[in-house]
């Protein structure tokens, strides 16, 4: 998704709900970081890493725990406040991928977790190439709802009906088709991996996760009457599938890594 005037309110809608985002959104499985190190051609420990569109620091924290020397880049002040609260030792700069506020050749690894689609990909790729040292890696990844699972497909159909034929539901639980579009990579082709994983959560946590997506947030969030009715109806659908109250959220991480130079 190119950053257009229409896209900016969607991107910044998360900033108004930073605490919900931090509490409700899934993390990433250990296999992602193993694959990232393999495809980048170097260990994460000690790697000078820039996490762009870091949000509340979900990926930043996991990179930091792997020993990466992470700098977070994030445009939203609400998101930055949440990140600094949970990761006070990690440097944070305000900015976005289209204009990275960093020196050329200063990073071993640049990561985009759930955030590349908010950039202008031409500008963001040029900036990544500028900031990476020769042989550095650009990594993009997304958690995608696993649409080989019946209940996920059925929920997505209800989301389509709720939001109408606008494509909004794809921002709530995006489907795994061919993965997300990634740019051409002059000097280094992207290598793709798809990594399945599962997150068990309560029904309340799953509904909070749904309500933290921009499709809900730009329409008043969980408190808006129509959204509130949808989420309560969804609680009933989930209870029929998961009578013990534990939802098995099924994801596939779509990972793309290019080594440049």
């Amino acid at each position: 998704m190119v950053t257009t005037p229409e896209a900016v309110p969607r991107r910044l809608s998360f900033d108004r709900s930073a605490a919900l985002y931090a509490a409700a959104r899934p993390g990433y499985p250990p296999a992602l970081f193993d694959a990232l190190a393999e495809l980048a051609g170097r260990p994460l420990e000690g790697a000078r890493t820039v996490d762009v569109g870091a949000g509340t620091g979900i990926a930043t924290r996991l990179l930091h725990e792997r020993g990466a020397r992470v700098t977070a880049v994030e445009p939203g002040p609400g998101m930055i406040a949440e990140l600094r609260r949970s990761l006070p030792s990690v440097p944070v700069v305000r900015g976005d991928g289209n204009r990275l506020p960093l020196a050329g050749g200063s990073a071993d690894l640049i990561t985009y977790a759930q955030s590349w689609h908010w950039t202008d990909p031409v500008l963001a790729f040029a900036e990544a190439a500028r900031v990476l040292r020769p042989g550095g890696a650009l990594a993009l990844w997304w958690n995608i709802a696993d649409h080989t699972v019946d209940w996920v497909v059925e929920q997505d159909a209800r989301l389509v009906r709720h939001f109408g034929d606008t494509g909004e539901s794809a921002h709530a639980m995006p489907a795994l088709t061919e993965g997300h579009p990634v740019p051409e990579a002059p000097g280094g082709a992207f290598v793709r991996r798809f990594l399945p994983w599962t997150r068990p959560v309560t029904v309340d946590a799953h509904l909070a996760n749904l309500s933290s997506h921009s499709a809900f947030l730009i329409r008043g969030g969980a408190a808006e009457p129509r959204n509130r009715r949808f989420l309560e109806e969804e609680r009933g659908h989930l209870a029929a599938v998961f009578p013990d109250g534990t939802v098995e959220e099924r994801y596939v991480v779509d990972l793309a890594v290019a080594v440049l130079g």
Side-chain angles (χ1 to χ4, degrees), residues 35-74:
L36 174 57
E38 176 194 340
L39 297 178
R42 64 155 297 147
L44 296 180
E45 186 171 1
R48 295 171 297 172
T49 302
V50 180
D51 188 28
V52 187
T56 62
I58 294 171
T60 312
R61 176 178 59 80
L62 295 170
L63 288 162
H64 179 70
E65 289 174 356
R66 287 285 181 127
R69 296 161 53 194
V70 189
T71 296
V73 176
E74 167 58 37

Side-chain angles (χ1 to χ4, degrees), residues 215-224 227:
F216 283 92
L217 296 177
I218 65 173
R219 284 163 174 75
E224 192 275 330
N227 286 343

Side-chain angles (χ1 to χ4, degrees), residues 234-243:
E234 198 60 28
R235 183 185 299 277
H237 292 301
L238 292 167
V241 180
F242 302 105

